[in-house]
Amino acid sequence: MQLNQLIAAKLLSSGIYDEHKDRLVRTYADKRTLMEQSLNEFLPTFVKYSVPDGGHFFWLEFPEGFDTDRVCDNAEKKGVLMTPGSACCFCDQGRRYLRLSFVVAEEEQIAQGVRVLAESVSQFVRDNHALFGRKPYNLI
């Protein structure tokens, strides 16, 4: 048996791994709940998402005509990093989607980050309301 296998066997048999895993599951579940609450509070209702059962991300869906590259660029200027769907998809449809991680940010940063996202969405709508063929969406 190699050294790294012996270390892994010791770690797994000690119970430390299970304690660590259980702590991470609780922490990530709390962050996921906090992000869901923030999305409900700050984002306009035309932004759709489902709460993830697992994983580390919320996927947000915006109406046709949205460009999440521009929304993310605006948020980045305010210190908040997000992943536009175009970075995860090879089709133009990816521009309507946005991926938000809830595991990296500290709990205090989650609500603030979603507020910045909401401001960036509002700015995009104000700048591009003609794209949607009607008055701007009802924001927040």
Side-chain angles (χ1 to χ4, degrees), residues 42-44 46-47 60 62-63 66 68 71-72 74-75 78 82 98 114-128 132 137 139-140:
F42 299 115
L43 283 185
F46 62 78
V47 179
L60 282 60
F62 292 81
F66 259 79
T68 58
V71 171
C72 290
N74 188 319
K78 298 174 182 178
M82 300 169 212
L98 191 140
V114 174
R115 273 191 216 105
V116 168
L117 170 59
E119 292 167 7
S120 297
V121 168
S122 296
Q123 184 66 51
F124 181 84
V125 170
R126 282 192 300 275
D127 292 347
N128 298 282
F132 305 107
Y137 289 99
L139 301 171
I140 308 172

Side-chain angles (χ1 to χ4, degrees), residues 65-114:
F66 259 79
D67 184 348
T68 58
D69 287 357
R70 291 177 49 201
V71 171
C72 290
D73 287 345
N74 188 319
E76 185 175 353
K77 291 175 186 171
K78 298 174 182 178
V80 176
L81 298 176
M82 300 169 212
T83 305
S86 64
C88 305
C89 180
F90 293 110
C91 61
D92 282 341
Q93 286 289 55
R95 290 187 179 275
R96 292 182 48 214
Y97 298 92
L98 191 140
R99 187 178 80 174
L100 292 178
S101 172
F102 55 87
V103 298
V104 176
E106 297 297 326
E107 287 189 12
E108 312 81 54
Q109 297 172 312
I110 291 174
Q112 180 59 33
V114 174

